Amino acid sequence: MLSRTADHLFWMARYTERAENTARMLDVNIQTSMLPQSAQDAEQGWRAMLGISELQEAFDHQYGLLNKRDVLDFMVRDPMNPSSIAACLNEARENARAVRGTLTTEVWETQNATWLSMQDKLARGKLEKDPSQFFEWVKFRSHLSRGVIVGTMLRDEAVNFLRLGTFLERADNTARILDVKFHGSKDAVAGIDPMQRDFYYWAALLRSVSGFEIYRKVYRDVITPERVAELLMLRPDMPRSLLACMDEVIASLTEIRNDASLDTEKFAGKLHADLKFANIEDILQTGLHATLTTFLERIFELGNRISRDFLVPTV
């Protein structure tokens, strides 16, 4: 496959997944902002969410003072923010259009319809009327895109590059949201019992990664930060866990390997093994923040190596 074609497929998948991840983060922040808390605590929650995407500086430069309405506008429709939902879905559509001949008609029409429908929803004020419903729609369209790919495309290199982009992006996002939320959970929330606070806090986090029902099925007990971390990092049967994402990355790399990719496969294999043979007690003893920070650095490096070996070089 031509590297330019692979590049478009890889980034089409990453941008689609990034739009979904942004919707998930915004939705969980709206839920947690409804808890009894001071204005300062509410603002800190929105700042933490901007920090997840490394967009705090860009937001401050453009808006100055922080409020919920501006954060939603910045993260959903602002064309100057390359990680906004609108910008991601636009980039996903443009990358799909560039490789229209490689995709099935159903995949292209799904991407195109998502972009057109999103413009209509924003113009009609759907975000302002019911943000959570809008974010559910974004997640649904992402699910639909993946389902159409699996259901209509030949399982060749094109699908492997699409899956590689999806799960690399998902691993990055899961690590970010877990890191920020884990440390933020220790902050006191005025007017609510600490046990209730922890339940609502972690329940919202689990719902943001479609993990609440899975947690109940696996642990059948109260929600604790340690078990949430274990579920989202080390469970291979949890679809959005770090280990599950790396399982998919390794499988895709094996299918698309070339003469130049051996070192990249070894690098990915070491990252995968470190998760596969880890246990949560050792991770917590070392420090969750340090572990996740290292993981994010390694995922970033893995993305660079994949670009070097398979995609269009970034000059």
Side-chain angles (χ1 to χ4, degrees):
M1 175 178 288
L2 292 174
S3 61
R4 186 167 297 280
T5 300
D7 189 81
H8 285 304
L9 292 167
F10 178 81
W11 283 105
M12 168 191 152
R14 287 202 73 160
Y15 279 119
T16 301
E17 182 71 19
R18 190 172 299 176
E20 178 187 346
N21 292 334
T22 300
R24 288 177 180 277
M25 287 189 289
L26 288 168
D27 196 28
V28 70
N29 222 66
I30 285 176
Q31 293 181 43
T32 54
S33 70
M34 293 178 183
L35 293 172
Q37 57 187 307
S38 67
Q40 183 178 3
D41 288 334
E43 178 179 332
Q44 183 56 38
W46 289 108
R47 289 195 178 278
M49 193 225 53
L50 288 169
I52 293 172
S53 302
E54 300 180 4
L55 292 169
Q56 181 69 66
E57 185 177 347
F59 177 87
D60 290 341
H61 177 75
Q62 187 166 339
Y63 290 90
L65 296 176
L66 184 147
N67 60 65
K68 173 184 173 181
R69 183 189 62 190
D70 287 343
V71 173
L72 287 177
D73 189 75
F74 179 68
M75 294 297 292
V76 173
R77 59 157 55 92
D78 194 333
M80 301 302 293
N81 173 14
S83 293
S84 71
I85 291 174
C88 286
L89 292 180
N90 178 58
E91 287 296 326
R93 176 179 179 266
E94 289 304 306
N95 278 284
R97 188 161 63 90
V99 288
R100 174 68 185 83
T102 304
L103 306 173
T104 60
T105 299
E106 292 87 348
V107 173
W108 160 249
E109 288 182 348
T110 298
Q111 290 290 136
N112 193 44
T114 297
W115 165 246
L116 295 173
S117 182
M118 185 204 64
Q119 289 182 302
D120 179 65
K121 286 180 179 295
L122 291 177
R124 291 193 289 137
K126 294 294 185 180
L127 174 65
E128 291 76 14
K129 292 176 183 176
D130 191 340
S132 289
Q133 187 178 45
F134 177 81
F135 298 139
E136 283 298 321
W137 174 84
V138 174
K139 289 188 281 183
F140 171 77
R141 296 303 299 188
S142 181
H143 297 326
L144 182 61
S145 176
R146 286 193 299 273
V148 171
I149 289 169
V150 172
T152 68
M153 287 190 65
L154 184 68
R155 295 178 184 178
D156 58 3
E157 280 190 325
V159 166
N160 285 313
F161 277 110
L162 288 167
R163 291 180 67 77
L164 187 59
T166 294
F167 289 104
L168 203 65
E169 184 69 30
R170 184 178 296 181
D172 181 272
N173 176 78
T174 299
R176 289 179 188 277
I177 194 170
L178 179 59
D179 189 20
V180 173
K181 294 300 181 184
F182 191 95
H183 287 274
S185 68
K186 297 178 176 61
D187 297 335
V189 178
I192 188 169
D193 180 82
M195 292 186 65
Q196 288 181 308
R197 177 201 68 209
D198 286 345
F199 173 81
Y200 286 117
Y201 196 101
W202 291 107
L205 170 59
L206 287 168
R207 287 192 176 97
S208 77
V209 292
S210 299
F212 183 79
E213 294 173 346
I214 293 175
Y215 184 98
R216 289 301 195 196
K217 186 174 183 178
V218 170
Y219 296 105
R220 302 177 183 273
D221 205 346
V222 296
I223 299 175
T224 65
E226 293 77 12
R227 285 176 174 172
V228 172
E230 181 181 54
L231 181 70
L232 298 187
M233 293 180 71
L234 306 180
R235 292 283 307 198
D237 48 359
M238 166 59 186
R240 305 190 75 86
S241 74
L242 303 186
L243 179 54
C245 291
M246 287 306 301
D247 285 342
E248 297 289 347
V249 169
I250 292 295
S252 296
L253 281 173
T254 301
E255 291 296 323
I256 63 173
R257 62 165 53 116
N258 60 30
D259 294 338
S261 64
L262 180 59
D263 285 344
T264 297
E265 288 185 70
K266 289 180 178 179
F267 185 86
K270 178 65 165 59
L271 179 53
H272 177 249
D274 287 347
L275 289 169
K276 185 175 181 178
F277 299 108
N279 63 69
I280 196 62
E281 291 78 15
D282 290 342
I283 288 174
L284 293 176
Q285 185 174 5
T286 301
L288 184 69
H289 176 68
T291 301
L292 291 172
T293 298
T294 300
F295 177 84
L296 285 168
E297 291 172 352
R298 294 169 76 185
I299 277 288
F300 180 76
E301 174 61 20
L302 179 57
N304 287 339
R305 287 169 178 256
I306 289 170
S307 294
R308 179 195 67 196
D309 294 343
F310 300 102
L311 311 178
V312 177
T314 55
V315 180

